[in-house]
Amino acid sequence: MHTLLNWAGLTLLGLILLLPLGPPAAFAAVEDLLLERGLISKEDWIKLKAEGEYGQEEQVQRLDDEFPIRLGYGGKGLEFSTKDGKYKTQIQWRLQFRYSHPEDSDPRVAKDFDDVQESSFNIRRARIKVGGHGYQPWLKYYFEYDWPSSNLLDWRVMVEKYKWLQLRIGQWKINYNRERVDSSGKQQFVERSIVNREFTIDRQQGAMLYGHLFRGTPADLWYYAGVFSGTGRGNPRNDDNNMMYMGRLQWNFLGRDLGFSQSDVEYTLKPTGSIAWAGVTNISNCTRFSSSGCGNLDGFPPSSTAGLGRFRLDQMMEEFAFKWRGFSVQHEFHWKQVKDTINQTKTNLMGSYSQVGYFFHNLLPIVPKPLETAFRFAFVDENVHIPDDVRREYTLVFNWFFAGHANKLTLDLSHLTNEDPTIAGTQTEERIRLQWDISF
């Protein structure tokens, strides 16, 4: 009874002393003041201190539990998500700093091989990526903006409730061939091969059905079937009544899915590979596509003056990719026909690339673990009916991965050749490029 009265008196005295101290933050100093004035013992001071700290921790935990938003950082950047899992937003920045000599782009015609050499340094890409899901985890969205070109590159919504049947609507690099779909931040070389310019379908606006069938079996398949405006990135209208149609079938022949990313940075423990076939047909004023949208191949009139619906494009592609224990292979073969409906002419193009890479540390421990070496060969024949008009690329690359594809340094050395029937001999050019690619 005596102890109870003492505690009651101390509590009342504490409240009286606390009144002039102001807001709740002053509670932390009350027990110190009581101890200083000799009103409580050291043992009582320790008890009060412990109870106060426990109360503060309990209050912080309660506020954290009641706050509906989680903040974190993951593989796709800064993440904001609700605790019920229905909403998530991921924000990521990516920068590419590049030095090149004697030029950055691929020389294509005779004058490109004879022009003035120059050394250049530029910010090749500076992008912000925003993605996530809303309302349900399977209702996803994504958009990507490029600052140097001031272009909204991607914007799309995906309905992915079922693995076997999914829907994508918007603008994106349509799933035609692996080299183009692979992000520029997840490539094995500084840039895509010389094949890309002539054969890529690039970004289009439209809708696509796709799905993953027979997962984990020898019949593991991905299918893609899409319909698009067929006028390239940034063009909200079609130029005629014809649509672009695209189909792709990917067979993961070892029963394991192979994602769209180059180099075996993940050190794939089990052999994983895919074979794919794709086709596309389109009628428009475009003979090629790029991140700039609708364009023209060398020797064809610009899309702006070609006339609506002048060219019919029919393309086919075969693809192979494989990864295992630091070893990677990637290959594509392309065929393309351009039909000029005004002049009633047909031009057939053919091209291919093959690249192989390996982390030699797995074979020779003296080689640094983050170092990858790779080689690529590619060729483009812009008209199979004209002899001696083939361009070729031989590129050796060294990658140093600080943090996978999120932070890497790439050095590639290229030997480029050009055969032109209007000139004697073969033109050549040696090129060096050094690039730092970082995402955060």
Side-chain angles (χ1 to χ4, degrees):
M1 185 67 177
H2 180 71
T3 302
L4 182 61
L5 290 175
N6 284 342
W7 275 106
L10 290 174
T11 302
L12 179 61
L13 179 60
L15 291 174
I16 294 173
L17 292 173
L18 180 64
L19 289 177
L21 295 179
F27 272 100
V30 171
E31 60 270 22
D32 297 334
L33 183 61
L34 293 174
L35 178 64
E36 181 182 342
R37 297 184 179 182
L39 298 176
I40 60 174
S41 65
K42 183 71 173 181
E43 181 180 347
D44 292 336
W45 176 83
I46 293 175
K47 291 180 180 180
L48 290 172
K49 202 74 173 177
E51 291 174 358
E53 291 176 356
Y54 175 77
Q56 290 177 3
E57 292 176 359
E58 187 180 48
Q59 184 178 18
V60 170
Q61 184 62 46
R62 180 174 58 82
L63 291 174
D64 184 62
D65 292 340
E66 293 177 355
F67 193 68
I69 304 298
R70 283 196 179 98
L71 176 63
Y73 187 86
K76 295 183 179 180
L78 191 63
E79 296 183 354
F80 302 87
S81 61
T82 57
K83 292 185 177 179
D84 59 11
K86 292 184 177 181
Y87 298 88
K88 176 185 283 189
T89 294
Q90 299 162 316
I91 303 175
Q92 185 177 59
W93 292 90
R94 181 160 67 85
L95 299 169
Q96 283 185 347
F97 304 94
R98 183 182 299 178
Y99 166 80
S100 58
H101 177 83
E103 59 184 314
D104 183 30
S105 59
D106 299 317
R108 301 189 311 275
V109 295
K111 66 179 182 65
D112 294 337
F113 284 83
D114 295 330
D115 58 7
V116 178
Q117 295 188 0
E118 59 182 32
S119 296
S120 63
F121 175 83
N122 62 31
I123 300 178
R124 181 64 179 84
R125 294 175 175 92
R127 297 179 178 178
I128 182 173
K129 302 178 178 182
V130 180
H133 62 256
Y135 300 102
Q136 295 293 337
W138 45 264
L139 186 57
K140 302 177 181 180
Y141 65 91
Y142 178 87
F143 70 84
E144 183 173 343
Y145 185 84
D146 184 65
W147 295 101
S149 63
S150 301
N151 286 326
L152 179 60
L153 300 178
D154 287 45
W155 52 270
R156 60 183 186 258
V157 175
M158 293 79 73
V159 182
E160 299 183 342
K161 186 173 183 179
Y162 306 106
K163 291 291 184 180
W164 58 274
L165 181 62
Q166 304 176 45
L167 172 66
R168 178 177 295 184
I169 300 174
Q171 173 179 282
W172 71 96
K173 292 183 293 186
I174 66 174
N175 302 66
Y176 176 67
N177 69 307
R178 180 174 290 272
E179 184 183 35
R180 187 61 181 134
V181 175
D182 287 337
S183 168
S184 56
K186 293 185 177 182
Q187 292 185 38
Q188 200 163 33
F189 294 75
V190 168
E191 197 56 84
R192 296 177 177 91
S193 72
I194 61 173
V195 174
N196 179 71
R197 183 182 187 275
E198 273 67 26
F199 297 97
T200 180
I201 306 302
D202 215 88
R203 291 175 170 87
Q204 302 288 339
Q205 295 185 27
M208 181 179 72
L209 291 175
Y210 56 106
H212 195 181
L213 307 175
F214 316 118
R215 290 184 296 160
T217 72
D220 193 303
L221 292 175
W222 275 98
Y223 73 89
Y224 305 83
V227 56
F228 308 91
S229 295
T231 50
R233 185 208 63 80
N235 194 338
R237 298 178 59 186
N238 199 343
D239 61 348
D240 54 26
N241 289 326
N242 301 289
M243 305 295 287
M244 173 185 281
Y245 300 95
M246 184 276 299
R248 172 185 168 94
L249 185 65
Q250 176 180 321
W251 174 33
N252 299 316
F253 55 89
L254 294 173
R256 289 177 285 275
D257 190 25
L258 185 64
F260 289 94
S261 176
Q262 299 179 16
S263 299
D264 191 19
V265 183
E266 304 84 3
Y267 193 77
T268 306
L269 292 177
K270 295 182 178 180
T272 304
S274 71
I275 300 174
W277 303 267
V280 66
T281 183
N282 184 48
I283 297 177
S284 70
N285 61 331
C286 317
T287 54
R288 62 174 290 264
F289 300 96
S290 69
S291 294
S292 299
C294 176
N296 62 294
L297 293 168
D298 295 325
F300 289 87
S303 57
S304 58
T305 62
L308 302 182
R310 176 173 175 173
F311 300 107
R312 179 187 178 96
L313 303 183
D314 293 300
Q315 297 185 220
M316 294 186 296
M317 186 273 316
E318 168 270 327
E319 170 193 296
F320 173 81
F322 179 83
K323 291 183 179 181
W324 187 37
R325 295 181 178 270
F327 175 76
S328 61
V329 176
Q330 190 160 310
H331 157 81
E332 293 175 9
F333 178 84
H334 292 264
W335 176 87
K336 177 177 181 178
Q337 183 179 86
V338 181
K339 180 180 180 180
D340 188 333
T341 59
I342 294 180
N343 296 328
Q344 293 299 309
T345 59
K346 293 181 180 179
T347 303
N348 293 324
L349 297 84
M350 187 168 59
S352 178
Y353 78 87
S354 298
Q355 62 191 52
V356 57
Y358 188 58
F359 288 84
F360 280 95
H361 174 81
N362 303 319
L363 185 64
L364 301 170
I366 193 173
V367 178
K369 189 174 183 179
L371 178 65
E372 181 198 34
T373 305
F375 178 77
R376 177 170 69 199
F377 168 74
F379 78 88
V380 172
D381 188 344
E382 297 193 11
N383 192 331
V384 298
H385 299 297
I386 298 177
D388 303 323
D389 68 336
V390 178
R391 290 187 290 117
R392 294 180 176 87
E393 171 196 352
Y394 307 83
T395 299
L396 177 67
V397 70
F398 301 95
N399 287 307
W400 189 281
F401 294 92
F402 298 102
H405 282 296
N407 189 355
K408 66 181 180 182
L409 195 64
T410 302
L411 172 68
D412 74 12
L413 311 167
S414 297
H415 175 67
L416 307 167
T417 69
N418 178 50
E419 297 176 357
D420 190 323
T422 64
I423 62 174
T426 300
Q427 295 176 295
T428 64
E429 178 176 288
E430 277 65 50
R431 180 183 62 197
I432 180 172
R433 296 183 295 192
L434 178 64
Q435 179 173 278
W436 180 32
D437 191 312
I438 183 169
S439 301
F440 53 89

